[in-house]
Amino acid sequence: MQSKLLSRRDADFLLYEWLDLEALTQRPRFADHSRETFTAALDTAEKIATDLFAPHNRLSDADEPHAIPGAKCLEVQMIPEVKTALDAYIGAGLMAAGQDYELGGMQLPVTVEKLAAAYFTAANVSTTSYAFLTIGNANTLLKTGTPDQIRRFVQPMLEGRYFGTMCLSEPQAGSSLSDITTRAEPDPVAGPEGERQYRLKGNKMWISAGEHELAGNIVHLVLAKIPGPDGKLIPGVKGISLFIVPKHLVNDDGTLGERNDVVLAGLNHKMGNRGTTNCLLNFGEGVFTPAGKAGAIGYLVGQPHQGLANMFHMMNEARIGVGAGAAVLGYTGYLHALDYARNRPQGRHPANKDPAQPQLAIVEHTDVRRMLLAQKAYAEGALGLVLYSAKLVDDERTAPDPEQRALASRLLEFLTPITKSWPSQWCVEANSLAIQVHGGYGYTREYPVEQFYRDNRLNAIHEGTHGIHGLDLLGRKAAMQEGALLKAFAAEVRKTVDQSSRGDYAGIADYGRQLDAALRRVERTTATLYGAGDMNKTLANASVYLEAVGHVVVAWVWLQQAIAAKAGLDAGATHEDEAFYRGKLQACRYFYRWELPKTDTQFDLLDSLDTTTLDMQDAWF
Amino acid sequence: MQSKLLSRRDADFLLYEWLDLEALTQRPRFADHSRETFTAALDTAEKIATDLFAPHNRLSDADEPHAIPGAKCLEVQMIPEVKTALDAYIGAGLMAAGQDYELGGMQLPVTVEKLAAAYFTAANVSTTSYAFLTIGNANTLLKTGTPDQIRRFVQPMLEGRYFGTMCLSEPQAGSSLSDITTRAEPDPVAGPEGERQYRLKGNKMWISAGEHELAGNIVHLVLAKIPGPDGKLIPGVKGISLFIVPKHLVNDDGTLGERNDVVLAGLNHKMGNRGTTNCLLNFGEGVFTPAGKAGAIGYLVGQPHQGLANMFHMMNEARIGVGAGAAVLGYTGYLHALDYARNRPQGRHPANKDPAQPQLAIVEHTDVRRMLLAQKAYAEGALGLVLYSAKLVDDERTAPDPEQRALASRLLEFLTPITKSWPSQWCVEANSLAIQVHGGYGYTREYPVEQFYRDNRLNAIHEGTHGIHGLDLLGRKAAMQEGALLKAFAAEVRKTVDQSSRGDYAGIADYGRQLDAALRRVERTTATLYGAGDMNKTLANASVYLEAVGHVVVAWVWLQQAIAAKAGLDAGATHEDEAFYRGKLQACRYFYRWELPKTDTQFDLLDSLDTTTLDMQDAWF
């Protein structure tokens, strides 16, 4: 039976027929790798995801983790299947799949790592989150931590003995990190390695995987402020520093020491993603008194006041991760809807409704095909965008030519808000369509699509809301380095447009002309908005800009896929492959006929410097 | 504190400043009524909804009804708050609010009845469903039942002693009613009043309120087929008849008789609407043996083979009901988001980000205003459409002039698929925006908006899916009576356009011109589609047609509201009223700048007779 997590045929197409991933094996870092080792990694991921992650996806949704009173503070109970699955994940070495050999890693390209990860997200986003947060935490510390911090905290995470978190938000400061109030006071006593240590006090909200018994220790990465000489916190992001705050202190020899003063204050109960504990954590309230007094012991990471910069080192990757999660939930929902549509008989064609004839499988209805084709266009477009971005991370790190690395970096900066936001918007829409294809059945918890819809709705909120990414794209990325990011992006798109005009497939050349026109609109609109002369006006409709540019980007991704599919057809495809390539071309056609034209209205609105929302007054609501 | 269910100021505006509901009191049927009696009915609804329905909305979502084994079959248990609330609803006479005095009713106009109902839906859609299904059932039987059937079954429903259901779908026949296989065989023995009775056998799926202990009896209205002389079921809708199948038989004197052979086979567990039991019912499997043998006893309603026509007598009203439910969930979500946005401090303006300054309430952020304004435009536009349609039902029944009644009927037929579908699409979007305004909090079950989002997602599925209504609008309504319905609609729109050109407010005249242009596109596109010469091609993109025409209709509703608001301003408004009217004008502006232009792309696609979805092949997915 075909997997309903992801299509391997499509994955192979994206990796090898489009992104030319085999070329990476020419680079020293990936010299031991080959298409075979990549395939082996994906096979492992698919098998563990199918056997151990998917089976309890519904279960951990229905029977979510709950907080129970422990001896001194709240503790978490959850179904045992979560740990069993994560242990297998760790056992297969996947926690360190992308890391250096000397760290026990496999040195897999990020692109392959993200695709392997996609199987787990498709199978069970909640259980997978515990692993992904740990990987993100480890990557941050590898960038900025001391060798000792890496030895004591990162190594056990890569081995799966400790898990990690990111503690940014506070109840009064979600999107506005400059307003955090967690304090970190220097402790007169030194830490285990003579290292200076701090005592933290404050509350952190929305901490995913903030408490559980899945690993021996939890390494919290915490944003907090070191008070100035006057004892006051420095306003704004400038005052923010980054700290390691382990749940249990770690002795010099690596054994666990005292329980640190960080405790679970409560779990948030969410609409979806229920299997991942989401916590309010209290730091430094004296429930535990490590080294004889209240205050959560923390170790500074990098320089003081560089906390946000240090944390954001890995933000691009984390954001690609969110986009990947959204894309993959859209993808698995699509495969479930397709399977249902092929097996559910219902109704007849409008032109022949003879009720004495048997009913058709609903995939025969044009409106059902519309819903499936839209899902295919959204999900495969989103996955393409995510893998393209992951490839940029690989290029940024390992491309032989410094120019190529710099280019990858510029493209990545520009695309990241879109790679995060576009799948988060359109793959929820895909999940809604998956429900719709199932009809009443899709609305029940007997079928998995309603859970995908609920789980996926988180992605437009965490790691920066949709609105925040609109501001990031228009307010920062589009203007950065005198527009160099946008110029780099435009140049890449024009390469594809050129390529599209050279083939003999009329459709592709048409799409190329459409894409070229859309790109000109991006450039013109960006200039118009920056000509508004008032930053509030320039940024007023940043969300629309994000959505319009996002559609242009995915149109570009689709044109690249169409060119690759056409090449596959031209090379003489098998019967089965021919159907696959035709599907790619048809999804591309859908995107250019049905989706890209929507951006005209959006660019018109932006070009008019519309102030409808800016002019709206609170009292008028 | 202002109600977060509905804005009464807005309700009054819609009823009296726009729809001129007081004029109805000139009609004989409503002669005893006045604005005061309407207000009293709304006050009663608001009070009971607030005091008894809203408080257990979350509770019956978390602790949904469950099936437990009874002596001979499954029974249903649910939290007691549901019955308490419904008893108060019944006690206030609301089950018969729209009915004739001789039936114990209040003879309220449907428009007022629907608005009163809206308070209950906003407070608790699940508990409310038990009442609304009973009312729908009673209305059907009042149209087509015999006096004896009305006495035995309808009267107790209007008194709230019995509840009712609609049993249409079967596991193998959801949208395709022609494929139902429930059999109704004539019984040799006559029923209580010498009436011919039938024995039914079959399974009915998705039966809301199909089993519970909230009332003394449940009156199922069941579609089934009477076999032909050869013992075979007649294929297609022609073979369908309508039957009353009570859970308990009713004796001549109105006392309850034997338990009938209809039993709960299982409950469906849904994403939302969890408080309403949704049942698989087995008819005639011999669990009970009324009058000594297996087979559910049923009484024919109306003529044989006229079942669908008889059931569809009340479909327009039921579909307005679905649209109303969707609109109101969007509306209450909007009010919750607005309240949150006014009280949640977070961040600062882009042009002044000094972190030493206090944070702003998020309603000050332009992107949050965009999300609130969009919700306002969707929710108040949808509620306006619903009340306009309800007014058409009143006019169809009670307008003094037969021409006016005929016109109302034509408009109602044309608008019904839109009144059902537009709110079901855009008010889910409103609920998604309400979550987004709340950020992470909105994604938790500690806030009600995530439940609105889940509850509302049902509305695009039941009472005809989105796709079915696309086919209804384009395939039936747009072509019926040689286009007379569309012509009637166009003529009404042009009246509003004329009116808009006469005022002195530049914006309104502009909107009128835009609306006029959009209407021409509706007419031209309809002609183009019917010129395709192939019904499969004409109807291929019917869903897009439904969405585009829907936006034009709601743009028309908004222009009417803007004209009424301008009149209110011109009449010299109080300070508070002025803000209210400005809000209406701004929401209208939002709709014309941000929403209506989206239809251009949709009409372009339709005009091109695009066959992307029609050409897609199953094998290509």
Side-chain angles (χ1 to χ4, degrees):
Chain A
M1 204 191 71
Q2 214 194 327
S3 168
K4 281 193 274 190
L5 300 180
L6 280 176
S7 153
R8 181 62 72 89
R9 178 67 189 86
D10 188 30
D12 285 345
F13 170 79
L14 296 171
L15 291 187
Y16 306 115
E17 299 181 57
W18 173 35
L19 294 172
D20 190 20
L21 215 72
E22 273 186 283
L24 288 187
T25 60
Q26 302 303 312
R27 298 180 187 170
R29 181 174 177 84
F30 308 122
D32 296 343
H33 282 290
S34 62
R35 181 163 172 168
E36 286 66 37
T37 63
F38 297 161
T39 298
L42 296 180
D43 286 347
T44 302
E46 182 171 356
K47 182 164 172 43
I48 298 175
T50 304
D51 293 350
L52 292 170
F53 281 67
H56 72 280
N57 192 40
R58 169 64 61 185
L59 195 61
S60 65
D61 181 73
D63 185 5
E64 66 194 318
H66 47 277
I68 50 162
K72 297 191 72 174
C73 62
L74 288 175
E75 293 172 2
V76 166
Q77 269 190 340
M78 68 177 77
I79 58 168
E81 286 86 346
V82 178
K83 186 163 167 52
T84 306
L86 286 166
D87 285 348
Y89 180 95
I90 293 160
L94 289 165
M95 202 71 103
Q99 304 296 349
D100 299 351
Y101 294 137
E102 51 264 42
L103 290 165
M106 300 182 196
Q107 295 195 179
L108 270 179
V110 172
T111 314
V112 178
E113 198 188 2
K114 289 285 176 205
L115 193 51
Y119 279 103
F120 293 98
T121 313
N124 190 323
V125 64
S126 290
T127 295
T128 303
S129 292
Y130 294 98
F132 289 2
L133 285 160
T134 302
I135 293 170
N137 179 313
N139 284 338
T140 307
L141 283 178
L142 284 169
K143 279 267 188 193
T144 51
T146 63
D148 182 56
Q149 288 171 341
I150 291 171
R151 181 182 61 78
R152 285 166 62 214
F153 298 107
V154 177
Q155 199 64 54
M157 285 197 283
L158 297 180
E159 293 163 14
R161 295 185 290 112
Y162 297 1
F163 280 5
T165 75
M166 311 276 175
C167 302
L168 287 75
S169 300
E170 300 182 2
Q172 83 295 348
S175 294
S176 181
L177 287 174
S178 62
D179 294 286
I180 65 166
T181 59
T182 297
R183 295 172 74 91
E185 307 260 5
D187 202 28
V189 183
E193 300 275 313
E195 185 185 14
R196 176 158 215 178
Q197 65 187 23
Y198 292 78
R199 293 283 183 161
L200 279 77
K201 184 164 168 44
N203 316 105
K204 290 288 179 182
M205 187 60 164
W206 311 124
I207 309 311
S208 288
E211 179 58 30
H212 54 73
E213 304 292 328
L214 296 166
N217 203 356
I218 302 176
V219 180
H220 301 291
L221 274 182
V222 183
L223 292 181
K225 290 185 171 184
I226 303 169
D230 59 355
K232 288 193 185 147
L233 299 182
I234 301 165
V237 296
K238 291 191 190 74
I240 300 175
S241 304
L242 181 63
F243 298 87
I244 295 168
V245 181
K247 176 177 170 182
H248 299 280
L249 300 181
V250 177
N251 298 322
D252 277 7
D253 62 0
T255 57
L256 291 188
E258 279 184 279
R259 180 71 155 82
N260 203 356
D261 191 11
V262 47
V263 297
L264 176 66
L267 291 178
N268 297 305
H269 297 96
K270 294 161 292 164
M271 174 166 69
N273 276 269
R274 295 188 180 193
T276 309
T277 52
N278 187 278
C279 310
L280 176 60
L281 295 180
N282 287 349
F283 291 81
E285 299 206 338
V287 178
F288 294 95
T289 50
K293 68 173 187 182
I297 291 178
Y299 313 107
L300 183 67
V301 181
Q303 297 302 307
H305 310 310
Q306 296 298 313
L308 219 49
N310 289 335
M311 186 64 110
F312 273 72
H313 269 310
M314 48 67 61
M315 272 296 153
N316 282 343
E317 215 178 316
R319 286 169 173 177
I320 295 171
V322 170
V328 164
L329 282 172
Y331 207 120
T332 187
Y334 159 58
L335 294 180
H336 279 84
L338 178 59
D339 183 63
Y340 183 84
R342 283 174 168 162
N343 291 295
R344 167 75 175 173
Q346 190 83 172
R348 293 160 190 87
H349 282 310
N352 179 13
K353 301 180 77 167
D354 176 5
Q357 297 298 313
Q359 301 194 80
L360 298 171
I362 62 170
V363 71
E364 296 300 324
H365 294 302
T366 309
D367 197 54
V368 172
R369 286 197 190 163
R370 168 185 71 83
M371 295 191 279
L372 292 170
L373 195 51
Q375 288 175 68
K376 181 178 168 77
Y378 299 151
E380 294 179 13
L383 185 63
L385 173 60
V386 163
L387 293 179
Y388 183 89
S389 300
K391 175 91 179 325
L392 291 175
V393 177
D394 279 321
D395 286 344
E396 184 184 35
R397 292 181 189 165
T398 64
D401 175 7
E403 256 314 298
Q404 204 189 339
R405 291 202 294 276
L407 172 62
S409 185
R410 281 194 291 274
L411 291 171
L412 188 62
E413 283 294 321
F414 185 77
L415 290 177
T416 295
I418 293 162
T419 307
K420 191 273 178 188
S421 299
W422 198 90
S424 301
Q425 178 174 11
W426 292 98
C427 291
V428 175
E429 178 62 26
N431 290 147
S432 180
L433 291 171
I435 292 175
Q436 197 68 17
V437 168
H438 284 75
Y441 292 98
Y443 192 68
T444 70
R445 281 126 63 200
E446 271 74 47
Y447 284 76
V449 285
E450 67 85 27
Q451 186 182 347
F452 301 150
Y453 180 68
R454 287 186 289 110
D455 286 353
N456 213 353
R457 184 61 188 81
L458 175 61
N459 288 313
I461 299 172
H462 68 167
E463 290 289 345
T465 62
H466 197 70
I468 294 289
H469 284 285
L471 293 174
D472 183 45
L473 181 69
L474 178 58
R476 294 183 62 240
K477 304 300 176 60
M480 256 164 88
Q481 304 170 25
E482 293 171 356
L485 276 50
L486 176 55
K487 282 191 192 108
F489 163 71
E492 290 302 302
V493 173
R494 293 212 161 90
K495 281 185 207 162
T496 308
V497 170
D498 278 354
Q499 217 184 335
S500 75
S501 67
R502 286 199 298 272
D504 57 352
Y505 183 69
I508 286 178
D510 279 347
Y511 306 151
R513 280 186 288 273
Q514 249 185 283
L515 180 61
D516 191 45
L519 179 65
R520 279 171 217 272
R521 294 216 69 171
V522 174
E523 293 171 325
R524 203 168 58 221
T525 297
T526 309
T528 303
L529 290 171
Y530 270 95
D534 168 358
M535 212 49 186
N536 285 329
K537 216 163 165 178
T538 297
L539 297 179
N541 303 326
S543 294
V544 180
Y545 183 86
L546 176 71
E547 292 178 13
V549 178
H551 252 50
V552 175
V553 166
V554 176
W556 172 47
V557 166
W558 265 116
L559 184 55
Q560 293 176 73
Q561 291 197 40
I563 290 170
K566 180 62 173 45
L569 276 179
D570 288 348
T574 63
H575 186 66
E576 199 175 326
D577 270 355
E578 189 188 329
F580 173 80
Y581 293 130
R582 296 265 171 229
K584 284 287 180 192
L585 289 169
Q586 196 72 0
C588 182
R589 177 176 158 193
Y590 170 84
F591 207 88
Y592 278 82
R593 297 273 178 90
W594 288 62
E595 296 292 335
L596 185 59
K598 293 177 183 171
T599 61
D600 272 330
T601 318
Q602 295 172 313
F603 287 124
D604 288 347
L605 182 79
L606 292 165
D607 289 349
S608 75
L609 296 174
D610 181 79
T611 57
T612 305
T613 57
L614 195 62
D615 297 343
M616 182 67 186
Q617 303 294 309
D618 180 5
W620 299 354
F621 281 116
Chain B
M1 205 190 74
Q2 215 194 325
S3 168
K4 280 192 274 191
L5 299 180
L6 280 176
S7 154
R8 182 63 72 88
R9 178 66 189 87
D10 189 29
D12 285 343
F13 170 79
L14 295 170
L15 291 187
Y16 306 114
E17 299 182 57
W18 173 34
L19 295 172
D20 190 20
L21 216 72
E22 273 186 282
L24 255 52
T25 60
Q26 303 302 313
R27 299 180 188 170
R29 181 174 177 84
F30 309 122
D32 296 341
H33 282 291
S34 63
R35 181 161 171 170
E36 286 65 38
T37 62
F38 297 161
T39 299
L42 296 179
D43 286 347
T44 302
E46 182 170 358
K47 182 160 170 47
I48 298 175
T50 305
D51 294 349
L52 293 170
F53 281 68
H56 72 280
N57 192 39
R58 169 63 61 187
L59 194 61
S60 64
D61 181 73
D63 186 4
E64 66 195 317
H66 46 279
I68 50 162
K72 298 191 72 173
C73 61
L74 289 175
E75 292 172 3
V76 166
Q77 268 190 341
M78 68 176 78
I79 59 169
E81 287 85 346
V82 177
K83 186 163 167 49
T84 306
L86 287 165
D87 285 349
Y89 182 93
I90 293 161
L94 289 165
M95 202 71 104
Q99 304 296 350
D100 299 351
Y101 293 138
E102 52 263 43
L103 290 165
M106 300 183 198
Q107 295 196 179
L108 271 178
V110 171
T111 315
V112 178
E113 197 188 4
K114 289 284 177 207
L115 193 51
Y119 278 103
F120 293 99
T121 313
N124 190 323
V125 64
S126 290
T127 295
T128 302
S129 293
Y130 295 98
F132 289 3
L133 286 160
T134 302
I135 292 171
N137 178 312
N139 284 338
T140 308
L141 283 179
L142 284 169
K143 279 266 189 196
T144 49
T146 63
D148 183 57
Q149 288 172 339
I150 291 171
R151 180 181 61 79
R152 285 166 63 213
F153 298 109
V154 177
Q155 199 64 54
M157 285 197 282
L158 296 180
E159 291 163 16
R161 295 186 289 114
Y162 297 0
F163 280 6
T165 74
M166 312 275 175
C167 301
L168 286 75
S169 299
E170 300 182 3
Q172 83 295 348
S175 294
S176 180
L177 287 174
S178 61
D179 294 288
I180 64 166
T181 58
T182 296
R183 296 171 74 92
E185 308 259 7
D187 202 26
V189 182
E193 300 276 313
E195 186 185 16
R196 176 159 213 177
Q197 66 187 21
Y198 291 78
R199 293 282 183 162
L200 279 79
K201 185 165 169 43
N203 315 105
K204 289 289 176 180
M205 187 60 162
W206 311 123
I207 309 310
S208 287
E211 179 58 29
H212 54 74
E213 304 292 329
L214 296 167
N217 203 358
I218 302 175
V219 180
H220 302 292
L221 275 182
V222 183
L223 292 182
K225 290 187 172 183
I226 303 169
D230 59 354
K232 287 192 185 150
L233 299 182
I234 301 166
V237 295
K238 290 192 192 72
I240 300 175
S241 305
L242 180 63
F243 298 87
I244 295 168
V245 181
K247 177 177 168 183
H248 298 280
L249 300 182
V250 177
N251 298 322
D252 275 7
D253 63 358
T255 57
L256 292 187
E258 279 184 278
R259 179 73 156 81
N260 203 355
D261 191 12
V262 46
V263 297
L264 177 66
L267 291 179
N268 296 305
H269 296 95
K270 295 161 292 165
M271 174 165 70
N273 277 268
R274 295 189 180 192
T276 309
T277 52
N278 187 278
C279 310
L280 175 60
L281 295 181
N282 287 348
F283 291 81
E285 300 206 336
V287 178
F288 294 94
T289 49
K293 67 174 188 182
I297 291 179
Y299 313 107
L300 183 66
V301 180
Q303 295 302 308
H305 310 311
Q306 296 298 315
L308 219 50
N310 290 335
M311 186 64 111
F312 273 71
H313 269 310
M314 48 67 62
M315 272 295 153
N316 281 343
E317 215 179 316
R319 285 168 174 179
I320 296 171
V322 170
V328 164
L329 283 171
Y331 207 120
T332 187
Y334 159 58
L335 294 180
H336 280 84
L338 178 59
D339 183 64
Y340 183 85
R342 283 175 168 159
N343 291 295
R344 167 75 176 172
Q346 190 83 171
R348 292 161 192 85
H349 283 308
N352 179 13
K353 301 181 76 166
D354 177 4
Q357 296 299 312
Q359 301 193 81
L360 298 171
I362 62 171
V363 71
E364 297 298 326
H365 295 301
T366 309
D367 196 54
V368 173
R369 287 199 190 162
R370 167 185 72 81
M371 294 192 280
L372 292 169
L373 195 50
Q375 288 174 69
K376 181 178 168 76
Y378 299 150
E380 294 179 12
L383 185 63
L385 173 60
V386 163
L387 293 179
Y388 183 89
S389 299
K391 175 90 179 329
L392 290 175
V393 176
D394 280 320
D395 286 344
E396 185 185 33
R397 292 182 189 165
T398 63
D401 175 7
E403 255 314 298
Q404 205 189 339
R405 291 202 295 275
L407 172 62
S409 186
R410 281 193 291 272
L411 291 171
L412 188 62
E413 284 293 323
F414 185 77
L415 290 177
T416 295
I418 294 162
T419 308
K420 191 274 178 186
S421 299
W422 197 91
S424 301
Q425 177 174 11
W426 292 98
C427 290
V428 176
E429 179 60 27
N431 289 146
S432 180
L433 291 170
I435 291 175
Q436 197 69 17
V437 168
H438 283 76
Y441 292 98
Y443 192 68
T444 69
R445 280 126 62 199
E446 271 73 48
Y447 285 76
V449 285
E450 66 85 26
Q451 186 182 347
F452 301 149
Y453 180 67
R454 286 187 288 111
D455 286 352
N456 213 353
R457 183 62 188 80
L458 175 62
N459 288 313
I461 300 172
H462 68 166
E463 290 289 345
T465 62
H466 198 68
I468 294 289
H469 284 284
L471 294 174
D472 183 44
L473 181 68
L474 178 57
R476 293 183 62 240
K477 302 302 175 60
M480 255 164 90
Q481 303 169 25
E482 292 171 356
L485 277 49
L486 175 55
K487 282 190 194 111
F489 162 72
E492 290 302 303
V493 173
R494 292 213 161 90
K495 282 185 206 162
T496 308
V497 170
D498 278 355
Q499 216 185 336
S500 75
S501 67
R502 286 199 298 270
D504 59 350
Y505 182 70
I508 286 179
D510 280 347
Y511 306 152
R513 280 186 287 274
Q514 249 186 284
L515 180 61
D516 190 45
L519 179 64
R520 280 171 215 273
R521 294 216 68 172
V522 173
E523 293 170 326
R524 202 167 59 222
T525 297
T526 308
T528 303
L529 291 171
Y530 271 94
D534 168 356
M535 212 50 188
N536 285 329
K537 216 164 167 177
T538 298
L539 297 179
N541 304 326
S543 294
V544 180
Y545 182 85
L546 175 72
E547 293 178 13
V549 178
H551 252 49
V552 175
V553 166
V554 176
W556 172 47
V557 166
W558 265 114
L559 185 54
Q560 293 177 73
Q561 292 196 41
I563 290 169
K566 181 62 174 45
L569 277 178
D570 288 348
T574 63
H575 185 66
E576 199 175 325
D577 270 355
E578 188 186 329
F580 172 82
Y581 293 130
R582 296 264 170 229
K584 284 287 178 190
L585 289 169
Q586 196 71 1
C588 182
R589 177 176 158 193
Y590 170 85
F591 207 88
Y592 278 83
R593 296 274 177 88
W594 288 61
E595 295 292 336
L596 185 59
K598 292 176 182 171
T599 60
D600 271 331
T601 317
Q602 295 173 314
F603 287 123
D604 288 347
L605 182 78
L606 292 165
D607 289 349
S608 75
L609 296 174
D610 181 79
T611 56
T612 305
T613 57
L614 194 62
D615 297 343
M616 182 67 187
Q617 304 294 310
D618 180 8
W620 298 354
F621 282 114

